[in-house]
Each structure stands twice: as structure tokens, then as C-alpha cells.
Amino acid sequence: MQLPFAESFKIKMVETIQKSTCQEREQWIKEAKYNLFNLKSEQVFVDLLTDSGTGAMSDKQWSELMLGDESYAGASSYYKMKKAINDILGFPYFLPTHQGRAAENVLFSVLVKEGMIVPGNSHFDTTKGHIEFRKAKAIDCTIDAAFDTNQRHDFKGNVDLEKLEKVLTSYPLEKIPMIIMTITNNSAGGQPVSMQNLREVHELSRKYGVRVVFDSARFAENAYFIKQREAGYADKSIKAIVKEMFSYADAMTMSSKKDAIVNMGGFIGFKDEDLFKQASVFGIIFEGFVTYGGMSGRDMNALAQGLDEGTEFDTLDSRIQQTAYLGNQLKKFGVPMQEPFGGHAIFVDVKRFLPHIPKEEFPAQTLAIELYLEAGVRAVEIGAILADRDPVTRENRYPDLELIRLAIPRRTYTNNHMEYVAVALGNVFERRNEIKRGVKILKEAPIMRHFTVELERL
Ligand SMILES: *Cc1c(COP(=O)(O)O)cnc(C)c1O
């Protein structure tokens, strides 16, 4: 008999989580104005809001904390992180930042000016936020297959090279400061980008003289999928694949709260010293001196160790198999999802789950509320509320996909928790026709409204 899959770690420390009653959850979600970001963590049993900064550090990472050097300038922790970034990712210059969006803020302060165009594959919401905040425009060139959850495609995160070349030829090149490749493509459902696509985008970028920046939060998961799915990579190590991937980038931004498995942290990697120097000026204004940039020494140490662990096959295999486990359990209940399953999360296709709720009533948010009420499971809406309003017309933007995301923190929950979540969502699926109406917005912020929006049930 073939041995079953088992995680390549054991648990040394545990944290208690609390169950609640249906009546309690009714009260709490009402008090939270039907925005799951407003819930207290103790009001949640299984928290799949995000995999960002919610993972469990290893014993080696915790021990690195004790070795942190908190010197203001030139700390050994800075050099440890610098070495890890150069050795594992291949970027000789870097700036630490407190998280991923801070890396975007610093880099885009140099590169993005009013009226500019930034093409890429489904820019992440903070990335788009930082582009639009500077009165520039993000153009999504992702392949069409990404928007059809029924269609099987190994690399739904890919850029459509024709769409990209059209952007590169439609605008003056000095208006295009960079192409952003998001690996994995978070907004399309944690979908990977193939090595071939990264290579071809790089070739196109050389033809037009535009730099390529990787938004790299889940680069290691991307490498895992390349190993599993792309011809020629099965026998290569994750670290070798990662090195090749980044050979096609001029710079990178990183939210270390994802694949570097720390609770807080980020950085920018540069190949070009000149760009690094320009960005350093903004790094110092926004984040801190170049050798700590918003991070404490101990956190830089844990990050360096996390980069090493996060690019080991066994770490990734445990993680991605757990995501697939949740997906396969949900499949048994007939729950419609983005497939193939992504790395960090399962994305439920709400247009197929609640087809009778009109888009104006925010069906994905409606489902996230129902799942919370059912079992105290917190998911997040990736739909029209997140898509926000058009910055010019101020009309609601209705994206092609209305999704809820069940993001799985790294090394945190067991498969029993996944089973619990699957049954909870399966129960909601069974009673889906009893959900008659959605929600209405009462209050919203002018940008990135999903974090603070206040809602009412219809
Ligand atoms: C999380 C994330 C970011 C932003 O990083 P933070 O650490 O949350 O600020 C940017 N891009 C992608 C693809 C992400 O997943």
C-alpha cells in the first residue's frame, strides 16, 4: 500500500481557539457591521481571512530571534538577510521594509508618476492602490482562462503576451515604468505563472526596454507548481527553480508575511545599484535607515531563516497538499471553486454558488457572512467590494469573478480543521436557495474600502 501523505513537521507549542454559538455569531457580525475585518479574533474559530503573517514560525526561526542584532546601522541581522536574499533569490542589493505594501510605496515613489501605465497580471489590491494613488493606471493582461473557473489550465497566472505587447505598443514607452509580474497571481486565485511565461515576458521587456518587477509574495509556491506541472522541472530543486525565476526580473517587491513565513516584514530586491540608491532615499523617509527599514534585527534574522525553509520542497509540499485537501473535501459537497486549486487558498466561485443574488448585492460578501454564521469560519471577499470604484467615474467596478477566499495560514491548522471548514461550507451550499438577498453598503472609504466598509443585510 502506498503510504499516505503526512506533514514534514511536528507541533511544539499550541494556542487555544474558541467555539461559539450561532446566536453569539449573529450578534457579533451585526456589531461588526457585516464586515469580517471588524470581528475580534476570539469571535472566530477557524480563521482563514488571510495567510499573511498568520503562519507558525519554526523552532529555528524562534531561536534566530534571540540572535537578533538591534544596532541602528550595520546590524549583523541586516547582513544575514542580505546574504539570504542574494544567495536564494539572486538580488545583490536590497532594502528592508515593514511589509509588502511598504516595499511598493518605496519603489513606486521612484518609478511611478501621474499618467503612467503599469501592465501586469492582475495587480494585487495594495499594488493597484499604490499605482492609482499616484494617478497612474494598472492594466491587467492576464490570460482569459484565469477568469473561467471551469477551465483547466496549469498556469492561470500567466500574462497574455499579445495583450501585454499591445499595451507596450499603445503608449509611449517612457510612460511605462515597469511590467509587474505577480507570482503567484493572488487575485486570479493563487494561480501560478509558468517559467516559460516569465521568460517570454522578460524577452518582450528587453525588446521594448521596460523593466520587469516581480511582486513576489508567494514566489516559492509558484516554484513548487513549476516543479509539479512544467516540463523539464520535475527533477530540479525548488531553490534552483527560484533562482531561474528571478533571473527574469530586474527588481522584486516582497511581502515576507507570506512565503518567508514571518509575522511581519518585507523588502525590495534590486539588481541595479542606481535604482537601489534612488529608492534608498524614499526608504529612509518612509521606513527607516537602509540597514533596518522598518524591521527589528530579530525579525530580519527570522526572515532570513524563513526564506531558507520556505524554499524547501517538504515545507511547500505540506502546505500545498493541505490546500488541495480542503479543495477535495469541498468538491465532495459540489462546491464550485477556481480550479486547479491555488497554493495558499481555495477560491469559491460565488457566481456559481449564489447565482440568484445580483452583483449589486455583493454575493461574495454575502457568502462570507453566511459561512461565518454557520460555523465561525472567517473567509474574505474577493469580489466587487474589494474591486472598489473606478477612480475616474466612481462607479462600482464589477470584476469577472466573485470569489470568497479561504486562505490557509502556514503550519497552523490541522486537516481536521480543514474538514470542519468543508462541512460548514457544504452545509451553506445545501441551503443556498434559502439565502434570498445580499447586502448593501452604508459607509465606505474612498480607497481600499473593503477593510472598513460598513454594511447592512437586505
Ligand atoms: C500580501 C501581498 C502584498 C502586500 O503585502 P503586505 O505585506 O500585506 O503589505 C502585495 N502583493 C501580493 C501579491 C500580496 O499577496
Side-chain angles (χ1 to χ4, degrees), residues 52 219 315 381 385 433:
S52 179
F219 72 94
T315 309
E381 187 247 27
I385 293 181
N433 291 325

Side-chain angles (χ1 to χ4, degrees), residues 50-53 98-104 122-127 181-187 215-218 253-258 264-266 344 405 451:
T50 177
D51 65 322
S52 179
H98 76 275
Q99 63 183 92
R101 70 199 68 186
E104 292 164 356
S122 306
H123 311 64
F124 183 65
D125 55 347
T126 59
T127 317
M181 292 300 287
T182 310
I183 52 172
T184 59
N185 186 334
N186 191 344
S187 311
D215 180 1
S216 319
R218 300 185 186 79
T253 55
M254 176 75 187
S255 168
S256 307
K257 302 167 74 173
K258 286 48 172 272
M264 191 49 79
H344 67 296
R405 184 184 74 179
F451 287 122

Side-chain angles (χ1 to χ4, degrees), residues 2 15 18 83 103 108 186 196 215 217 236 243 256 310 339 363 378 381-382 412 448:
Q2 202 195 338
E15 180 182 345
Q18 275 143 23
K83 184 173 183 334
F108 296 1
N186 191 344
Q196 186 184 340
D215 180 1
K236 296 215 162 123
K243 263 282 172 64
S256 307
E339 287 187 65
R378 177 155 67 171
E381 187 247 27
I382 311 261
T412 303
M448 303 204 73

Side-chain angles (χ1 to χ4, degrees), residues 194-205:
S194 70
M195 191 73 88
Q196 186 184 340
N197 197 247
L198 292 176
R199 196 180 300 125
E200 286 169 346
V201 167
H202 179 79
E203 279 163 15
L204 210 55
S205 77

Side-chain angles (χ1 to χ4, degrees), residues 137-151:
K137 194 174 159 196
I139 298 185
D140 186 356
C141 302
T142 309
I143 56 169
D144 292 335
F147 306 104
D148 178 357
T149 59
N150 263 324
Q151 196 179 324

